[in-house]
Each structure stands twice: as C-alpha cells, then as structure tokens.
Amino acid sequence: MKKLTEQEIQNEIKDLQYWDLEEGMLVTSLDFKNFADAFAMMTRIAFEAEANNHHPDWSNVYNNLTIRLTTHDAGGLTDKDFHLARRIEAIINGD
C-alpha cells in the first residue's frame, strides 16, 4: 500500500465532512446522546473495519468516540484510510 503525498491527502480530505488531519492521521471526535449510542456506533464501525481489514485507533469515554486512522505498515495515510473514513461517514449519516 502506497503512502499518499501531501497533495493527495489534501485532495481526499476536502470531501470528508467529519475528519481533520492531526499528527499525520485522519481524526474525528463524535458526541452521542449517551454511552449506549456511542458504543452502538463503535460496534457498527467495527464490522466495517473488519470487513475492510483496516482497524482504527479509537477511544470511547462516556458519550464521546474519537477515531484515528493511519496505515501503520505504510508509515502514513493511504487510500485504505480514506476509504474507511468515507464508510464511517456513511454509517454516521445512516446510509
């Protein structure tokens, strides 16, 4: 998997609604009504991550879910990260 260039990253991130670049990773932080809703979203995302064989670094504190994406094997962001970010956005938006 090829690490994306800075220009490629900028071209990809402009189409994402919930993501920012932080320390070379795609990062989002989402707040939900309560812990159960946050955990339910994590569960839905976990199935998508497993299906894509690409697993996020994430944390959950009560109603907040923070997700960080990077491709460790490539040493940075790749198409896999942006694909999963788009799939996560679709889940969040109920698609």
Side-chain angles (χ1 to χ4, degrees):
M1 180 80 17
K2 177 181 99 47
K3 179 179 169 181
L4 298 176
T5 67
E6 190 61 36
Q7 184 61 49
E8 290 170 324
I9 291 168
Q10 293 304 317
N11 289 341
E12 291 285 342
I13 200 167
K14 68 182 180 187
D15 296 325
L16 296 175
Q17 181 178 358
Y18 300 109
W19 300 85
D20 294 308
L21 282 175
E22 292 181 14
E23 300 177 9
M25 293 181 279
L26 287 177
V27 179
T28 190
S29 184
L30 306 165
D31 289 324
F32 297 90
K33 181 179 172 186
N34 53 42
F35 174 77
D37 288 349
F39 193 80
M41 182 61 65
M42 288 181 77
T43 302
R44 292 196 60 213
I45 292 169
F47 284 104
E48 187 67 34
E50 187 65 18
N52 286 279
N53 194 31
H54 193 50
H55 306 94
D57 293 330
W58 57 8
S59 64
N60 166 238
V61 177
Y62 181 57
N63 71 328
N64 179 268
L65 172 58
T66 301
I67 305 170
R68 291 176 182 80
L69 298 176
T70 189
T71 304
H72 298 286
D73 293 345
L77 293 172
T78 67
D79 288 332
K80 286 181 85 167
D81 300 299
F82 284 95
H83 174 76
L84 185 55
R86 286 189 294 274
R87 294 299 307 135
I88 292 170
E89 285 197 351
I91 293 168
I92 292 166
N93 291 326
D95 296 343

